[in-house]
Amino acid sequence: MFSSIVRLGGPGDVGRRVVNLLNEHTDCRIYLVSRKGGTDTERVRHLKMDLGANEAEDRLPKGAAVVNLTETTSPALTAAVVRKGGLFLDTSASPEYVSALEPKSRPGSVMG
């Protein structure tokens, strides 16, 4: 089981529903990533960041389960989460996106 869950994007209705379900069915720390940030609660922390920035990979909790609700997350960031022991759930992955992940997720690959 993961100690933390990260939601990328999704500040609207679907994202709120995901957070409500996580609060009801897990005891994990929940991180919400967005460009705007937000108000923290006891279990929910907001991480204000641009997912396209170089430091995004380092700012995400290591080994977290990541729920991606945005279509702009780079394959390099996705692969980095998995290589660091995390789980990545993408709600909108196209065949092209999955193909772009393959070379980045192999051991010894260089992210670009």
Side-chain angles (χ1 to χ4, degrees):
M1 186 62 141
F2 297 93
S3 61
S4 61
I5 300 173
V6 178
R7 186 198 75 195
L8 304 179
D13 183 56
V14 171
R16 282 191 298 274
R17 289 173 187 254
V18 167
V19 171
N20 289 340
L21 287 169
L22 293 172
N23 270 318
E24 291 173 18
H25 298 284
T26 76
D27 58 358
C28 294
R29 167 86 54 198
I30 301 166
Y31 294 92
L32 306 180
V33 176
S34 69
R35 287 189 203 114
K36 294 181 181 181
T39 305
D40 293 343
T41 66
E42 184 177 329
R43 284 192 49 214
V44 178
R45 301 287 187 256
H46 289 263
L47 297 175
K48 182 179 177 180
M49 76 170 87
D50 178 355
L51 292 173
N54 291 335
E55 69 273 2
E57 174 186 332
D58 295 329
R59 294 195 53 210
L60 295 178
K62 185 177 179 180
V66 177
V67 178
N68 186 35
L69 299 178
T70 176
E71 295 180 9
T72 59
T73 302
S74 75
L77 180 61
T78 303
V81 167
V82 173
R83 279 198 311 271
K84 289 183 168 187
L87 171 75
F88 199 91
L89 172 65
D90 195 303
T91 62
S92 62
S94 66
E96 295 81 15
Y97 185 83
V98 173
S99 293
L101 285 174
E102 291 174 351
K104 296 183 181 325
S105 60
R106 293 188 184 106
S109 65
V110 177
M111 295 187 342

XYZ file of all heavy atoms in Angstrom:
835
model
N 0.839 -1.179 0.000
C 0.000 0.000 0.000
C 0.882 1.239 0.000
O 1.967 1.249 0.555
C -0.911 -0.039 1.230
C -1.918 1.063 1.265
S -3.024 0.972 -0.131
C -4.543 1.402 0.605
N 0.400 2.279 -0.597
C 1.136 3.535 -0.688
C 0.808 4.416 0.509
O -0.314 4.416 0.996
C 0.774 4.248 -1.992
C 1.180 3.472 -3.203
C 0.287 2.606 -3.821
C 2.453 3.593 -3.707
C 0.676 1.872 -4.930
C 2.852 2.873 -4.809
C 1.953 2.004 -5.420
N 1.794 5.183 0.944
C 1.547 6.095 2.065
C 1.034 7.441 1.580
O 0.504 8.222 2.360
C 2.816 6.284 2.888
O 3.828 6.847 2.088
N 1.225 7.717 0.289
C 0.728 8.972 -0.258
C 0.171 8.766 -1.659
O 0.594 7.878 -2.389
C 1.811 10.049 -0.268
O 2.893 9.653 -1.064
N -0.794 9.612 -1.987
C -1.408 9.601 -3.310
C -1.340 11.025 -3.844
O -1.636 11.982 -3.128
C -2.872 9.123 -3.249
C -2.935 7.701 -2.678
C -3.519 9.186 -4.629
C -4.337 7.194 -2.416
N -0.942 11.147 -5.105
C -0.801 12.446 -5.742
C -1.818 12.545 -6.870
O -1.906 11.651 -7.706
C 0.622 12.628 -6.317
C 0.748 13.962 -7.028
C 1.670 12.484 -5.229
N -2.579 13.631 -6.886
C -3.492 13.894 -7.997
C -2.900 15.028 -8.813
O -2.653 16.110 -8.301
C -4.887 14.291 -7.492
C -5.892 14.428 -8.654
C -7.105 15.212 -8.264
N -6.743 16.641 -8.211
C -7.489 17.573 -7.639
N -8.607 17.251 -7.036
N -7.113 18.828 -7.642
N -2.655 14.750 -10.079
C -2.128 15.765 -10.992
C -3.289 16.390 -11.738
O -4.053 15.693 -12.418
C -1.153 15.152 -12.001
C 0.035 14.379 -11.437
C 0.882 13.818 -12.579
C 0.860 15.234 -10.515
N -3.442 17.703 -11.616
C -4.517 18.408 -12.307
C -5.875 18.054 -11.743
O -6.006 17.595 -10.612
N -6.901 18.291 -12.533
C -8.251 17.928 -12.150
C -8.849 18.729 -11.020
O -9.404 18.150 -10.094
N -8.794 20.067 -11.070
C -9.362 20.856 -9.977
C -10.890 20.962 -10.020
O -11.490 21.480 -9.090
C -8.726 22.234 -10.170
C -8.493 22.325 -11.644
C -8.142 20.920 -12.074
N -11.503 20.430 -11.064
C -12.956 20.537 -11.216
C -13.707 19.418 -10.518
O -13.234 18.814 -9.550
N -14.885 19.128 -11.017
C -15.787 18.157 -10.404
C -15.167 16.767 -10.283
O -15.241 16.142 -9.228
C -17.097 18.086 -11.205
C -18.104 17.150 -10.560
O -18.431 17.368 -9.374
O -18.543 16.203 -11.235
N -14.575 16.258 -11.345
C -13.991 14.918 -11.308
C -12.870 14.859 -10.267
O -12.801 13.926 -9.463
C -13.454 14.505 -12.708
C -12.661 13.205 -12.617
C -14.607 14.361 -13.684
N -12.015 15.855 -10.253
C -10.930 15.886 -9.277
C -11.423 15.918 -7.849
O -10.882 15.241 -6.973
N -12.456 16.708 -7.587
C -13.032 16.762 -6.235
C -13.614 15.409 -5.834
O -13.467 14.964 -4.696
C -14.103 17.845 -6.149
C -13.523 19.244 -6.019
C -14.592 20.275 -5.669
N -15.627 20.409 -6.685
C -15.528 21.204 -7.757
N -14.445 21.921 -7.953
N -16.512 21.268 -8.622
N -14.254 14.747 -6.774
C -14.816 13.424 -6.482
C -13.713 12.418 -6.171
O -13.857 11.580 -5.273
C -15.670 12.930 -7.646
C -16.970 13.692 -7.791
C -17.710 13.280 -9.054
N -18.849 14.106 -9.297
C -20.109 13.713 -9.111
N -20.362 12.495 -8.667
N -21.092 14.536 -9.363
N -12.623 12.485 -6.907
C -11.487 11.589 -6.649
C -10.959 11.822 -5.233
O -10.732 10.873 -4.479
C -10.370 11.792 -7.701
C -9.077 11.104 -7.274
C -10.814 11.278 -9.064
N -10.769 13.073 -4.854
C -10.271 13.379 -3.510
C -11.245 12.896 -2.439
O -10.833 12.316 -1.430
C -9.968 14.887 -3.365
C -9.652 15.247 -1.922
C -8.810 15.272 -4.264
N -12.539 13.101 -2.652
C -13.536 12.627 -1.681
C -13.462 11.108 -1.515
O -13.511 10.594 -0.387
C -14.945 13.046 -2.095
C -15.181 14.526 -1.928
O -14.475 15.208 -1.180
N -16.172 15.043 -2.637
N -13.347 10.388 -2.625
C -13.234 8.925 -2.549
C -11.951 8.501 -1.838
O -11.964 7.567 -1.026
C -13.292 8.322 -3.954
C -14.656 8.333 -4.620
C -14.533 7.968 -6.101
C -15.605 7.386 -3.905
N -10.846 9.188 -2.120
C -9.590 8.858 -1.450
C -9.689 9.112 0.050
O -9.193 8.316 0.858
C -8.443 9.664 -2.055
C -8.076 9.320 -3.494
C -7.059 10.312 -4.038
C -7.568 7.890 -3.597
N -10.311 10.207 0.423
C -10.504 10.515 1.847
C -11.363 9.456 2.537
O -11.110 9.086 3.678
C -11.143 11.893 2.030
C -10.118 12.984 2.154
O -9.104 12.834 2.822
N -10.378 14.098 1.504
N -12.392 8.983 1.855
C -13.303 8.001 2.435
C -12.721 6.598 2.522
O -13.032 5.850 3.438
C -14.595 7.939 1.612
C -15.460 9.172 1.700
C -16.634 9.122 0.737
O -16.985 8.027 0.241
O -17.200 10.201 0.461
N -11.866 6.234 1.549
C -11.446 4.837 1.423
C -9.964 4.582 1.678
O -9.524 3.434 1.540
C -11.828 4.308 0.040
C -13.313 4.334 -0.189
N -14.178 3.425 0.372
C -14.083 5.199 -0.891
C -15.415 3.706 0.011
N -15.389 4.776 -0.756
N -9.202 5.602 2.021
C -7.789 5.404 2.347
C -7.443 6.253 3.564
O -8.203 7.127 3.957
C -6.842 5.822 1.185
O -6.761 7.254 1.135
C -7.294 5.269 -0.153
N -6.285 5.973 4.119
C -5.771 6.849 5.170
C -4.466 7.501 4.712
O -3.667 7.943 5.520
C -5.601 6.098 6.486
C -4.679 4.903 6.371
O -4.177 4.616 5.259
O -4.440 4.237 7.398
N -4.260 7.544 3.410
C -3.046 8.104 2.813
C -3.021 9.627 2.894
O -4.070 10.272 2.911
C -2.963 7.732 1.330
S -2.760 5.988 1.021
N -1.830 10.169 2.887
C -1.643 11.611 2.683
C -1.969 11.860 1.215
O -1.565 11.098 0.341
C -0.217 12.010 2.985
C 0.190 13.385 2.544
C -0.109 14.477 3.483
N 0.461 14.196 4.794
C 0.072 14.808 5.889
N -0.861 15.728 5.834
N 0.597 14.511 7.036
N -2.716 12.915 0.922
C -3.125 13.230 -0.445
C -2.486 14.551 -0.844
O -2.577 15.535 -0.112
C -4.664 13.319 -0.550
C -5.298 11.986 -0.130
C -5.083 13.708 -1.964
C -6.781 12.070 0.121
N -1.819 14.544 -1.990
C -1.203 15.752 -2.538
C -1.939 16.136 -3.812
O -2.155 15.294 -4.681
C 0.273 15.511 -2.875
C 1.126 15.253 -1.673
C 1.351 13.952 -1.222
C 1.727 16.299 -0.980
C 2.137 13.711 -0.112
C 2.522 16.069 0.120
C 2.715 14.770 0.559
O 3.501 14.536 1.656
N -2.305 17.405 -3.914
C -2.972 17.912 -5.108
C -2.002 18.854 -5.814
O -1.582 19.858 -5.239
C -4.255 18.659 -4.739
C -5.245 17.879 -3.864
C -6.469 18.732 -3.575
C -5.630 16.566 -4.511
N -1.651 18.524 -7.040
C -0.701 19.319 -7.805
C -1.451 20.181 -8.808
O -2.265 19.676 -9.583
C 0.312 18.416 -8.541
C 1.238 19.238 -9.413
C 1.111 17.581 -7.542
N -1.165 21.485 -8.767
C -1.742 22.406 -9.749
C -0.860 23.646 -9.832
O 0.011 23.847 -8.994
C -3.169 22.804 -9.353
O -3.156 23.623 -8.206
N -1.099 24.438 -10.842
C -0.340 25.685 -10.984
C -0.771 26.738 -9.967
O -0.013 27.632 -9.643
C -0.509 26.246 -12.390
C 0.231 25.456 -13.429
C 0.192 26.191 -14.772
N 0.390 25.242 -15.827
C -0.505 24.916 -16.740
N -1.676 25.497 -16.754
N -0.236 24.037 -17.665
N -2.006 26.634 -9.478
C -2.537 27.652 -8.567
C -2.321 27.345 -7.093
O -2.336 28.240 -6.261
C -4.037 27.836 -8.814
C -4.346 28.401 -10.174
C -5.828 28.585 -10.348
C -6.120 29.128 -11.737
N -7.543 29.343 -11.945
N -2.142 26.083 -6.728
C -2.027 25.734 -5.320
C -3.387 25.753 -4.657
O -4.415 25.694 -5.318
N -3.410 25.830 -3.332
C -4.665 25.844 -2.604
C -4.426 25.799 -1.117
O -3.294 25.911 -0.650
N -5.493 25.611 -0.363
C -5.424 25.582 1.092
C -5.267 24.151 1.581
O -6.054 23.272 1.215
C -6.708 26.198 1.699
O -6.874 27.511 1.161
C -6.632 26.263 3.198
N -4.269 23.923 2.431
C -4.017 22.591 2.973
C -5.011 22.259 4.087
O -5.512 23.142 4.775
C -2.601 22.508 3.551
C -1.521 22.621 2.486
O -1.830 22.435 1.296
O -0.366 22.881 2.858
N -5.273 20.965 4.252
C -6.052 20.457 5.380
C -5.180 19.435 6.098
O -4.016 19.238 5.744
C -7.372 19.812 4.919
O -7.072 18.633 4.164
C -8.211 20.762 4.095
N -5.741 18.749 7.071
C -4.965 17.771 7.830
C -4.376 16.682 6.933
O -3.226 16.306 7.081
C -5.829 17.130 8.909
C -5.059 16.187 9.801
C -5.926 15.610 10.903
O -6.857 16.301 11.351
O -5.656 14.468 11.304
N -5.152 16.171 5.999
C -4.683 15.079 5.131
C -4.332 15.512 3.726
O -3.654 14.793 3.000
C -5.757 13.988 5.046
C -5.797 13.156 6.296
C -6.624 11.912 6.151
N -6.333 11.148 4.971
C -7.262 10.469 4.299
N -8.513 10.488 4.672
N -6.932 9.765 3.245
N -4.836 16.654 3.290
C -4.636 17.079 1.902
C -3.668 18.253 1.855
O -3.862 19.265 2.515
C -5.989 17.476 1.257
C -5.778 17.954 -0.172
C -6.964 16.302 1.286
N -2.609 18.079 1.059
C -1.604 19.124 0.864
C -1.616 19.537 -0.596
O -1.773 18.715 -1.490
C -0.199 18.622 1.218
C -0.037 18.151 2.635
C -0.028 19.326 3.588
N 0.286 18.916 4.929
C -0.606 18.810 5.905
N -1.867 19.062 5.673
N -0.256 18.441 7.105
N -1.440 20.824 -0.835
C -1.388 21.354 -2.194
C 0.063 21.615 -2.575
O 0.814 22.203 -1.796
C -2.193 22.644 -2.296
C -3.669 22.406 -2.199
N -4.471 22.297 -3.296
C -4.468 22.229 -1.134
C -5.717 22.066 -2.906
N -5.732 22.027 -1.602
N 0.436 21.155 -3.756
C 1.754 21.423 -4.303
C 1.583 22.325 -5.520
O 1.048 21.888 -6.538
C 2.460 20.130 -4.718
C 2.775 19.131 -3.611
C 3.355 17.857 -4.207
C 3.741 19.737 -2.604
N 2.000 23.563 -5.393
C 1.905 24.509 -6.502
C 3.127 24.307 -7.385
O 4.260 24.529 -6.957
C 1.861 25.942 -5.964
C 1.711 26.979 -7.051
C 1.640 28.362 -6.450
C 1.562 29.398 -7.557
N 1.493 30.754 -7.007
N 2.886 23.822 -8.603
C 4.007 23.598 -9.530
C 3.514 23.436 -10.954
O 2.354 23.116 -11.192
C 4.835 22.389 -9.111
C 4.207 21.054 -9.414
S 5.323 19.655 -9.160
C 5.053 19.353 -7.442
N 4.439 23.653 -11.861
C 4.221 23.420 -13.284
C 4.782 22.041 -13.583
O 5.981 21.805 -13.383
C 4.936 24.507 -14.090
C 4.809 24.327 -15.584
O 4.250 23.298 -16.035
O 5.271 25.215 -16.315
N 3.955 21.128 -14.033
C 4.410 19.764 -14.299
C 5.443 19.684 -15.417
O 6.149 18.694 -15.526
C 3.218 18.866 -14.629
C 2.278 18.612 -13.461
C 1.047 17.853 -13.932
C 2.984 17.861 -12.359
N 5.536 20.717 -16.222
C 6.531 20.733 -17.294
C 7.896 21.225 -16.837
O 8.871 21.138 -17.584
N 8.000 21.720 -15.618
C 9.267 22.249 -15.111
C 10.233 21.113 -14.779
O 9.809 20.013 -14.407
C 9.023 23.108 -13.883
N 11.511 21.391 -14.899
C 12.538 20.376 -14.629
C 12.480 19.826 -13.212
O 12.763 18.658 -12.989
C 13.930 20.939 -14.909
C 14.168 21.169 -16.380
O 13.544 20.530 -17.217
N 15.053 22.091 -16.695
N 12.114 20.646 -12.232
C 12.122 20.199 -10.841
C 10.866 19.422 -10.444
O 10.772 18.925 -9.324
C 12.330 21.378 -9.883
C 11.171 22.337 -9.805
C 11.203 23.445 -10.851
O 12.121 23.478 -11.693
O 10.287 24.281 -10.828
N 9.902 19.280 -11.326
C 8.648 18.590 -10.988
C 8.916 17.169 -10.508
O 8.331 16.723 -9.519
C 7.697 18.589 -12.182
N 9.789 16.460 -11.173
C 10.092 15.078 -10.798
C 10.593 14.990 -9.356
O 10.206 14.105 -8.600
C 11.148 14.512 -11.741
C 11.639 13.146 -11.368
C 12.786 12.682 -12.229
O 12.898 13.106 -13.387
O 13.587 11.882 -11.730
N 11.430 15.914 -8.954
C 12.003 15.891 -7.605
C 11.023 16.330 -6.527
O 11.201 15.990 -5.360
C 13.254 16.773 -7.553
C 14.361 16.238 -8.438
O 14.442 15.006 -8.609
O 15.133 17.051 -8.970
N 10.012 17.065 -6.887
C 9.055 17.582 -5.892
C 7.925 16.611 -5.583
O 7.250 16.766 -4.578
C 8.485 18.919 -6.365
C 9.573 19.999 -6.400
C 9.046 21.382 -6.506
N 8.059 21.684 -5.471
C 7.051 22.543 -5.644
N 6.904 23.170 -6.793
N 6.200 22.783 -4.677
N 7.718 15.608 -6.437
C 6.670 14.628 -6.166
C 7.173 13.633 -5.122
O 8.326 13.234 -5.152
C 6.281 13.890 -7.449
C 5.643 14.736 -8.545
C 5.358 13.873 -9.769
C 4.369 15.400 -8.057
N 6.302 13.214 -4.183
C 6.729 12.255 -3.162
C 7.200 10.945 -3.796
O 6.548 10.407 -4.694
C 5.467 12.030 -2.332
C 4.583 13.179 -2.624
C 4.916 13.633 -4.012
N 8.322 10.445 -3.337
C 8.882 9.191 -3.850
C 7.972 8.019 -3.479
O 7.475 7.935 -2.357
C 10.274 8.968 -3.273
C 10.967 7.761 -3.828
C 12.360 7.625 -3.273
C 13.024 6.388 -3.834
N 14.380 6.236 -3.321
N 7.748 7.131 -4.444
C 6.961 5.931 -4.196
C 5.475 6.153 -4.047
O 4.764 5.288 -3.543
N 4.974 7.280 -4.500
C 3.552 7.595 -4.359
C 2.739 6.947 -5.476
O 3.255 6.628 -6.542
C 3.338 9.109 -4.396
N 1.463 6.779 -5.220
C 0.519 6.427 -6.269
C 0.063 7.755 -6.881
O -0.361 8.652 -6.165
C -0.666 5.668 -5.700
N 0.194 7.883 -8.191
C -0.119 9.133 -8.875
C -1.328 8.920 -9.782
O -1.347 8.007 -10.596
C 1.090 9.631 -9.709
C 0.745 10.884 -10.480
C 2.296 9.869 -8.801
N -2.331 9.770 -9.605
C -3.531 9.750 -10.449
C -3.440 10.977 -11.354
O -3.463 12.111 -10.876
C -4.823 9.804 -9.600
C -6.049 9.831 -10.502
C -4.868 8.630 -8.630
N -3.326 10.753 -12.644
C -3.148 11.841 -13.600
C -4.484 12.193 -14.247
O -5.088 11.375 -14.933
C -2.144 11.420 -14.679
C -1.815 12.548 -15.614
O -1.750 13.700 -15.224
N -1.597 12.216 -16.872
N -4.931 13.428 -14.012
C -6.174 13.913 -14.613
C -5.907 15.007 -15.638
O -6.803 15.769 -15.983
C -7.122 14.434 -13.523
C -7.569 13.420 -12.483
C -8.461 14.086 -11.436
C -8.279 12.248 -13.126
N -4.698 15.113 -16.100
C -4.353 16.099 -17.118
C -3.785 15.387 -18.335
O -3.181 14.332 -18.208
C -3.341 17.143 -16.581
O -2.968 18.007 -17.644
C -2.098 16.493 -16.015
N -3.987 15.960 -19.492
C -3.482 15.341 -20.721
C -2.124 15.878 -21.125
O -1.613 15.544 -22.181
C -4.492 15.567 -21.856
C -5.810 14.876 -21.605
C -6.807 15.104 -22.719
O -6.438 15.655 -23.775
O -7.965 14.718 -22.526
N -1.514 16.698 -20.283
C -0.249 17.329 -20.667
C 0.955 16.840 -19.870
O 2.036 17.380 -20.024
C -0.360 18.858 -20.519
O -0.675 19.168 -19.160
C -1.424 19.424 -21.446
N 0.800 15.839 -19.040
C 1.928 15.315 -18.273
C 2.900 14.623 -19.217
O 2.506 13.769 -20.006
C 1.439 14.324 -17.198
O 0.509 15.003 -16.365
C 2.588 13.802 -16.368
N 4.159 14.983 -19.110
C 5.146 14.441 -20.043
C 5.410 12.962 -19.769
O 5.390 12.526 -18.616
C 6.465 15.211 -19.936
O 7.150 14.845 -18.758
N 5.673 12.197 -20.819
C 6.053 10.799 -20.622
C 7.301 10.659 -19.742
O 7.418 9.693 -18.993
C 6.319 10.291 -22.050
C 5.453 11.156 -22.905
C 5.508 12.514 -22.240
N 8.209 11.617 -19.798
C 9.412 11.553 -18.966
C 9.053 11.609 -17.480
O 9.610 10.871 -16.668
C 10.362 12.694 -19.321
N 8.121 12.468 -17.101
C 7.697 12.563 -15.702
C 6.980 11.287 -15.279
O 7.205 10.759 -14.186
C 6.795 13.782 -15.496
C 6.285 13.994 -14.067
C 7.449 14.198 -13.100
C 5.337 15.181 -14.013
N 6.135 10.774 -16.138
C 5.423 9.530 -15.861
C 6.402 8.397 -15.618
O 6.296 7.662 -14.629
C 4.504 9.170 -17.041
O 3.611 10.255 -17.270
C 3.727 7.907 -16.779
N 7.366 8.237 -16.496
C 8.358 7.171 -16.364
C 9.199 7.349 -15.102
O 9.535 6.379 -14.433
C 9.252 7.145 -17.606
N 9.523 8.582 -14.744
C 10.317 8.845 -13.534
C 9.564 8.400 -12.283
O 10.163 7.839 -11.363
C 10.673 10.322 -13.453
N 8.256 8.640 -12.240
C 7.449 8.203 -11.098
C 7.550 6.695 -10.936
O 7.782 6.172 -9.843
C 5.970 8.639 -11.268
C 5.067 7.936 -10.267
C 5.839 10.148 -11.137
N 7.410 5.957 -12.034
C 7.439 4.498 -11.993
C 8.828 3.998 -11.616
O 8.973 3.090 -10.786
C 6.964 3.909 -13.343
C 7.150 2.399 -13.381
C 5.508 4.289 -13.589
N 9.866 4.584 -12.196
C 11.234 4.166 -11.875
C 11.574 4.388 -10.406
O 12.379 3.671 -9.830
C 12.244 4.906 -12.748
C 12.395 4.308 -14.134
C 13.678 4.746 -14.827
N 13.894 6.176 -14.778
C 13.449 7.062 -15.665
N 12.727 6.648 -16.684
N 13.710 8.339 -15.549
N 10.951 5.375 -9.780
C 11.203 5.667 -8.364
C 10.283 4.866 -7.428
O 10.133 5.203 -6.264
C 11.033 7.154 -8.099
C 12.125 7.994 -8.700
C 11.915 9.442 -8.329
C 13.116 10.276 -8.657
N 12.985 11.637 -8.151
N 9.635 3.839 -7.969
C 8.823 2.972 -7.132
C 7.367 3.363 -7.004
O 6.625 2.774 -6.218
N 6.937 4.337 -7.777
C 5.554 4.782 -7.706
C 4.661 4.039 -8.678
O 5.115 3.258 -9.513
N 3.402 4.290 -8.549
C 2.380 3.752 -9.441
C 1.769 4.930 -10.178
O 1.518 5.969 -9.569
C 1.301 3.051 -8.610
C 0.044 2.611 -9.340
C 0.348 1.369 -10.161
C -1.057 2.329 -8.346
N 1.547 4.792 -11.475
C 0.998 5.892 -12.260
C -0.282 5.437 -12.929
O -0.286 4.493 -13.712
C 2.016 6.350 -13.319
C 1.743 7.721 -13.846
C 2.306 8.830 -13.240
C 0.906 7.913 -14.935
C 2.044 10.111 -13.711
C 0.641 9.181 -15.413
C 1.218 10.280 -14.799
N -1.382 6.099 -12.611
C -2.682 5.821 -13.211
C -3.047 7.010 -14.084
O -3.216 8.119 -13.580
C -3.746 5.618 -12.128
C -5.185 5.502 -12.604
C -5.376 4.251 -13.450
C -6.129 5.489 -11.418
N -3.134 6.783 -15.381
C -3.457 7.861 -16.310
C -4.859 7.662 -16.833
O -5.202 6.590 -17.306
C -2.451 7.878 -17.466
C -2.512 9.170 -18.240
O -3.596 9.516 -18.744
O -1.483 9.843 -18.329
N -5.664 8.702 -16.755
C -7.062 8.604 -17.159
C -7.302 8.852 -18.637
O -8.403 8.651 -19.124
C -7.913 9.610 -16.365
O -7.469 10.928 -16.671
C -7.812 9.346 -14.878
N -6.275 9.300 -19.359
C -6.507 9.696 -20.750
C -5.397 9.257 -21.691
O -5.216 9.852 -22.743
C -6.666 11.215 -20.827
O -5.475 11.831 -20.395
N -4.638 8.234 -21.324
C -3.491 7.839 -22.140
C -3.930 7.333 -23.517
O -4.725 6.413 -23.633
C -2.681 6.762 -21.437
N -3.381 7.958 -24.544
C -3.625 7.518 -25.913
C -2.561 6.482 -26.282
O -1.531 6.369 -25.612
C -3.516 8.715 -26.858
O -2.181 9.193 -26.868
N -2.762 5.733 -27.355
C -1.725 4.794 -27.794
C -0.386 5.492 -28.059
O 0.673 4.941 -27.763
C -2.312 4.191 -29.082
C -3.784 4.311 -28.903
C -3.988 5.605 -28.152
N -0.435 6.714 -28.571
C 0.800 7.464 -28.840
C 1.529 7.805 -27.548
O 2.752 7.734 -27.468
C 0.499 8.749 -29.620
C -0.051 8.520 -31.018
C -1.556 8.209 -31.028
O -2.252 8.445 -30.014
O -2.025 7.682 -32.054
N 0.775 8.170 -26.511
C 1.367 8.503 -25.218
C 2.037 7.269 -24.608
O 3.157 7.327 -24.117
C 0.275 9.042 -24.286
C 0.782 9.542 -22.960
C 1.293 10.828 -22.837
C 0.744 8.750 -21.825
C 1.753 11.310 -21.619
C 1.200 9.219 -20.609
C 1.703 10.499 -20.510
O 2.155 10.957 -19.310
N 1.357 6.132 -24.658
C 1.915 4.898 -24.121
C 3.181 4.513 -24.894
O 4.184 4.115 -24.301
C 0.879 3.758 -24.143
C 1.511 2.431 -23.744
C -0.285 4.097 -23.226
N 3.173 4.671 -26.205
C 4.364 4.379 -27.006
C 5.534 5.280 -26.623
O 6.680 4.849 -26.604
C 4.065 4.539 -28.498
O 3.155 3.560 -28.909
N 5.247 6.530 -26.298
C 6.303 7.460 -25.888
C 6.879 7.079 -24.528
O 8.037 7.393 -24.231
C 5.763 8.891 -25.850
N 6.115 6.389 -23.702
C 6.596 5.956 -22.382
C 7.589 4.809 -22.466
O 8.502 4.708 -21.652
C 5.429 5.495 -21.518
C 4.533 6.542 -20.937
C 3.357 5.876 -20.238
C 5.278 7.434 -19.987
N 7.413 3.917 -23.415
C 8.197 2.689 -23.465
C 9.707 2.906 -23.407
O 10.375 2.319 -22.565
C 7.791 1.853 -24.673
C 6.391 1.291 -24.515
C 5.885 0.581 -25.752
O 6.540 0.650 -26.809
O 4.822 -0.035 -25.648
N 10.294 3.748 -24.257
C 11.752 3.893 -24.181
C 12.211 4.594 -22.903
O 13.329 4.376 -22.448
C 12.110 4.722 -25.418
C 10.844 5.331 -25.882
C 9.718 4.474 -25.378
N 11.382 5.418 -22.304
C 11.757 6.157 -21.099
C 11.661 5.315 -19.834
O 12.258 5.642 -18.825
C 10.888 7.413 -20.963
C 11.107 8.394 -22.088
C 10.297 9.627 -21.885
C 10.448 10.628 -22.994
N 11.717 10.761 -23.624
N 10.920 4.241 -19.883
C 10.701 3.451 -18.681
C 11.667 2.275 -18.555
O 11.656 1.576 -17.564
C 9.264 2.943 -18.636
O 9.002 2.134 -19.758
N 12.510 2.068 -19.525
C 13.486 0.994 -19.452
C 14.626 1.368 -18.508
O 15.038 2.513 -18.460
C 14.044 0.691 -20.832
C 13.015 0.109 -21.761
C 13.650 -0.361 -23.066
N 12.602 -0.813 -23.944
C 12.173 -0.149 -25.004
N 12.724 0.993 -25.338
N 11.221 -0.622 -25.746
N 15.148 0.373 -17.750
C 16.286 0.669 -16.870
C 17.461 1.255 -17.657
O 17.754 0.818 -18.777
C 16.655 -0.704 -16.300
C 15.386 -1.504 -16.414
C 14.692 -0.997 -17.661
N 18.074 2.260 -17.114
C 19.226 2.908 -17.756
C 18.863 3.910 -18.814
O 19.744 4.479 -19.448
N 17.581 4.142 -19.024
C 17.199 5.114 -20.044
C 17.476 6.520 -19.567
O 17.511 6.810 -18.380
C 15.724 4.959 -20.400
O 14.913 5.274 -19.301
N 17.679 7.409 -20.506
C 17.933 8.808 -20.200
C 16.668 9.595 -20.502
O 16.113 9.479 -21.593
C 19.100 9.362 -21.046
C 19.293 10.841 -20.774
C 20.368 8.576 -20.756
N 16.206 10.349 -19.541
C 14.985 11.138 -19.767
C 15.335 12.359 -20.571
O 16.369 12.975 -20.360
C 14.359 11.540 -18.437
C 13.881 10.357 -17.671
S 12.952 10.746 -16.190
C 13.317 12.390 -15.810
N 14.460 12.709 -21.491
C 14.717 13.878 -22.318
C 13.558 14.787 -22.393
O 12.526 14.578 -21.894
